Amino acid sequence: MLASATFTKQFTDRTDRNRGDTHTMIHTATSHTNPPAAGYSRRAICAVLVSLIVTMAGCRSDNAQRVIALVGATVIDGTGAPPAPDQTILIEDERITAVGPEVVVPDNAAVLDVTGTTVIPGLIDMHGHMYALRHNQFAAYPKLFLAGGVTTAFSPGDFDPGGMIALRDAIARGEIVGSRIFTAGPYFDHAPSIVPWIEGVSSVAEALDKFASWRDRIDAVKLYAGITEQEIAGLIEAAHDAGLFVTGHLGGIPTRRAVALGIDGLEHGIFAIAEFSPHGPTAPINDQYCTLAELDLGSPIVDSLMSDLVQQGVYVTPTIVTMQAMHPEFDPVVADWERYLSDDVRAMLAERAEFLNARGAECLGRAVEKQLAFVGRLHGRGGVILVGTDPVTPELVPGFAFHRELQNLVAAGLTPLEAITAATANAAAALGLDEELGTIAPGRLADLVVVDGDPSVDIRSLSNIRLVLKSGDRYDPTALRQSVVGSIDVVGN
């Protein structure tokens, strides 16, 4: 994978800014529950608690207490290594400085006794859009992702790319609380796109002109279903020359051609592979699902594609939970998911018609089973699997949907430790940030998730999040979620 110069610059700029932040105002508090409002400086409203149940969401401690020691935890470091019990993690400012059973804790450290918990690296959603229902969800989604332990979200294409870039930068500056964001900006598709609001291109020259107008603001390139082979070739070359990686929701050209041209990632697994759906992305959705339901995973065409993906190191983000959510009998990712919806969205969903007929729903169920089997086989052959949720429908509440997707990967045949690695170290490597994120080790950014239970035994334990740290800042997941009740909306985001 190509390391992105834009990603590296974002981290360098942010680190330099935070190292100079030595004048934070402190107000001692014991009962705050609401996070700082967007646009207000955390330096004016943060409070400090040095207990395990920490401050209001979004609070940053003062410079004297930017040395933090998490003591007594079992550590799953993201590399696939077995859990290590009775560990101490020492954090200074944004970074981890020591990990081990005999770490010396400085006198000025804020000590958090996390005995009985498990600490994992911050999770990375590699299909973490911040829009739903054709509206930005900038108020709710960044906090919901963070509350779920998703400290970094990569959005492969945006409904409002300019707004998403502004949100990314505001979070990086500390003006808004939320998960760290990387974005591919606009979708690149051939005109007319099957998605009405995507502005397509008509030639290679137009595609390259569009890329040139965005290249210095985006973190990757996203290809969409109607893109032509010639446009793909030109965009991949231009993106790689700029240090950006390329992923795709394809379906219009053979996936093996895109792999041969150098694409870095594929979205949605079997649901966006042209070789598996010969009718193409414009075919009726019920027919597409029924074709996939009959896919022979032992066929030469599947075997040869898997070989190409493994040999070329192309990652696959299968978004299994996204496909599950399309089924009429979908089991919600969290029981009270509707509490995050505005009244307008509740009314809209109540009037929504089902888009699948009975045959299509039955086929979708079997197609999801094929997807699980495909993911398991690809992983078993050495393929790179990542975790993404594509929460463009509000049923896929960010954070909670990510936990469900981890459960899906385990159902597909990955061990819980392998699923955690897919969600951490593998994702960081795909982003070109494996020296910054994805593992718990000295020098890495202090992105950590403290959970009750042992997710290496039961992956469902990851839903029991007690504390989230992003770059050393501590967040209460309950307070974050409470702050966005009713915020998923279709106006004003």
Side-chain angles (χ1 to χ4, degrees), residues 16-356:
D16 289 345
R17 282 194 297 270
N18 286 339
R19 283 175 177 167
D21 183 12
T22 58
H23 302 290
T24 305
M25 293 179 64
I26 303 302
H27 300 278
T28 302
T30 57
S31 60
H32 292 285
T33 57
N34 294 321
Y40 285 81
S41 170
R42 287 181 294 173
R43 288 179 289 182
I45 54 181
C46 272
V48 176
L49 288 177
V50 290
S51 59
L52 182 60
I53 304 301
V54 293
T55 61
M56 61 180 179
C59 174
R60 175 174 177 168
S61 59
D62 67 346
N63 192 58
Q65 291 185 325
R66 289 294 288 175
V67 180
I68 303 168
L70 276 61
V71 177
T74 294
V75 170
I76 295 175
D77 68 5
T79 67
D86 299 321
Q87 301 288 292
T88 293
I89 304 172
L90 189 64
I91 300 165
E92 296 186 22
D93 295 321
E94 293 189 326
R95 297 188 180 269
I96 299 167
T97 57
V99 182
E102 298 179 355
V103 172
V104 176
V105 178
D107 291 339
N108 66 332
V111 178
L112 306 182
D113 184 353
V114 291
T115 302
T117 68
T118 302
V119 179
I120 66 170
L123 303 169
I124 302 173
D125 193 318
M126 287 296 290
H127 206 114
H129 293 305
M130 300 280 174
Y131 68 88
L133 304 172
R134 296 191 183 184
H135 284 79
N136 295 327
Q137 302 300 334
F138 294 166
Y141 274 23
K143 294 180 179 68
L144 286 170
F145 274 117
L146 189 59
V150 178
T151 55
T152 300
F154 167 62
S155 179
D158 287 299
F159 175 77
D160 175 10
M164 186 65 161
I165 288 168
L167 176 67
R168 175 198 67 189
D169 295 346
I171 290 174
R173 291 191 300 266
E175 298 169 358
I176 295 175
V177 171
S179 56
R180 183 184 297 106
I181 291 174
F182 297 108
T183 173
Y187 291 82
F188 285 82
D189 199 2
H190 191 78
S193 175
I194 59 174
V195 176
W197 50 264
I198 292 178
E199 182 179 350
V201 298
S202 299
S203 66
V204 175
E206 280 190 24
L208 294 178
D209 285 345
K210 182 176 179 178
F211 172 74
S213 70
W214 286 95
R215 59 169 285 169
D216 294 332
R217 292 178 284 165
I218 59 178
D219 305 308
V221 168
K222 169 70 173 289
L223 308 177
Y224 206 64
I227 198 82
T228 69
E229 181 172 332
Q230 294 76 19
E231 290 159 357
I232 289 175
L235 285 167
I236 288 177
E237 181 179 6
H240 286 179
D241 286 346
L244 305 179
F245 70 93
V246 181
T247 190
H249 173 164
L250 301 178
I253 75 161
T255 300
R256 293 189 71 189
R257 283 298 303 143
V259 172
L261 290 170
I263 199 167
D264 300 294
L266 298 173
E267 309 297 321
H268 307 303
I270 68 170
F271 288 85
I273 294 176
E275 293 93 323
F276 301 167
S277 298
H279 301 298
T282 61
I285 196 69
N286 292 280
D287 293 343
Q288 291 184 48
Y289 291 159
C290 288
T291 299
L292 290 173
E294 302 301 325
L295 180 65
D296 179 6
L297 293 176
S299 65
I301 194 168
V302 176
D303 178 75
S304 60
L305 176 61
M306 285 191 181
S307 294
D308 287 354
L309 295 175
V310 173
Q311 290 173 7
Q312 298 302 319
V314 176
Y315 71 74
V316 174
T317 308
T319 65
I320 303 163
V321 70
T322 308
M323 307 308 162
Q324 291 170 327
M326 296 179 184
H327 198 281
E329 298 179 4
F330 176 60
D331 180 28
V333 295
V334 62
D336 60 352
W337 66 276
E338 290 183 299
R339 72 192 291 255
Y340 301 105
L341 309 182
S342 70
D343 291 341
D344 288 342
V345 171
R346 289 171 187 262
M348 178 187 299
L349 296 183
E351 297 177 358
R352 182 175 55 181
E354 295 291 347
F355 70 97
L356 291 180

Side-chain angles (χ1 to χ4, degrees), residues 259-479:
V259 172
L261 290 170
I263 199 167
D264 300 294
L266 298 173
E267 309 297 321
H268 307 303
I270 68 170
F271 288 85
I273 294 176
E275 293 93 323
F276 301 167
S277 298
H279 301 298
T282 61
I285 196 69
N286 292 280
D287 293 343
Q288 291 184 48
Y289 291 159
C290 288
T291 299
L292 290 173
E294 302 301 325
L295 180 65
D296 179 6
L297 293 176
S299 65
I301 194 168
V302 176
D303 178 75
S304 60
L305 176 61
M306 285 191 181
S307 294
D308 287 354
L309 295 175
V310 173
Q311 290 173 7
Q312 298 302 319
V314 176
Y315 71 74
V316 174
T317 308
T319 65
I320 303 163
V321 70
T322 308
M323 307 308 162
Q324 291 170 327
M326 296 179 184
H327 198 281
E329 298 179 4
F330 176 60
D331 180 28
V333 295
V334 62
D336 60 352
W337 66 276
E338 290 183 299
R339 72 192 291 255
Y340 301 105
L341 309 182
S342 70
D343 291 341
D344 288 342
V345 171
R346 289 171 187 262
M348 178 187 299
L349 296 183
E351 297 177 358
R352 182 175 55 181
E354 295 291 347
F355 70 97
L356 291 180
N357 57 32
R359 169 176 168 268
E362 189 273 334
C363 288
L364 175 58
R366 289 193 288 130
V368 168
E369 292 300 317
K370 295 287 186 179
Q371 176 86 306
L372 288 164
F374 175 81
V375 169
R377 291 190 185 196
L378 180 60
H379 170 74
R381 292 175 63 163
V384 180
I385 305 298
L386 305 182
V387 184
T389 57
D390 194 12
V392 297
T393 59
E395 290 92 342
L396 294 171
V397 183
F400 294 111
F402 196 92
H403 304 158
R404 177 68 61 81
E405 186 69 357
L406 285 168
Q407 295 170 32
N408 285 333
L409 293 189
V410 172
L414 280 70
T415 68
L417 282 177
E418 289 171 338
I420 292 169
T421 297
T424 55
N426 284 5
L431 291 172
L433 292 170
D434 45 319
E435 294 185 1
E436 297 281 354
L437 297 170
T439 54
I440 299 176
R444 300 296 189 271
L445 285 171
D447 280 23
L448 304 168
V449 186
V450 181
V451 302
D452 290 319
D454 184 354
S456 72
V457 175
D458 185 353
I459 195 66
R460 293 173 298 179
S461 297
L462 278 179
S463 297
N464 304 323
I465 297 176
R466 190 184 294 190
L467 175 66
V468 179
L469 292 90
K470 188 189 83 171
S471 293
D473 292 340
R474 290 166 285 168
Y475 300 88
D476 177 352
T478 300

